[in-house]
Amino acid sequence: MKQISKIQSFRVDHDKILPGIYISRVDGDITTFDLRTRKPNCGSYMDSTTMHTLEHMFATFVRNSEAGERVIYFGPMGCRTGFYLLMRDTDIKEAVTLIKETLEKIVAYEGPVFGASRKECGNYLDLKLDCAKKECKEYLENIEKYKKTDGAYDE
């Protein structure tokens, strides 16, 4: 049997990760951005409703942005401490701007949750906009604080 090596995300020391935006990996022209909303292994994890709603909202807004054609994927981490955003031909500065703009759109949004019907979603009853808005607001505050104190990314 072939030796199984650790994937990149398991090679990162999760005890050192703080809320922020990181480049997780680069595969050719595709960059995986780690949108870490919470410090791992600290007992504070997103509930499924918050993750699910934020996924619907962020994915819809980012895919409808000017950079939408470069978005490959947006989705939650299984550990419930953040999300992955995969983009083609996008550097960290551009990604940070796009992420902040998208989070701000969610916080300001007053309409129905995107994709919140039985025909559009496999768990359409598990969506609450106020949960996603709260998470986005807190994450925006955390990434501003993190940028200024720990230099997760340069702007």
Side-chain angles (χ1 to χ4, degrees), residues 76-131:
M77 295 176 181
C79 62
R80 301 184 334 224
T81 63
F83 297 85
Y84 290 114
L85 173 63
L86 281 72
M87 294 193 69
R88 178 169 276 120
D89 297 322
T90 306
D91 67 25
I92 187 74
K93 289 181 182 181
E94 185 178 7
V96 167
T97 300
L98 179 63
I99 291 163
K100 286 181 179 181
E101 288 172 355
T102 304
L103 294 169
E104 288 166 354
K105 286 177 184 177
I106 296 168
V107 170
Y109 184 74
E110 294 298 331
V113 173
F114 303 124
S117 75
R118 183 179 184 94
K119 290 186 184 249
E120 298 169 307
C121 177
N123 192 7
Y124 75 102
L125 296 175
D126 187 35
L127 296 164
K128 292 185 181 173
L129 184 59
D130 59 330
C131 295

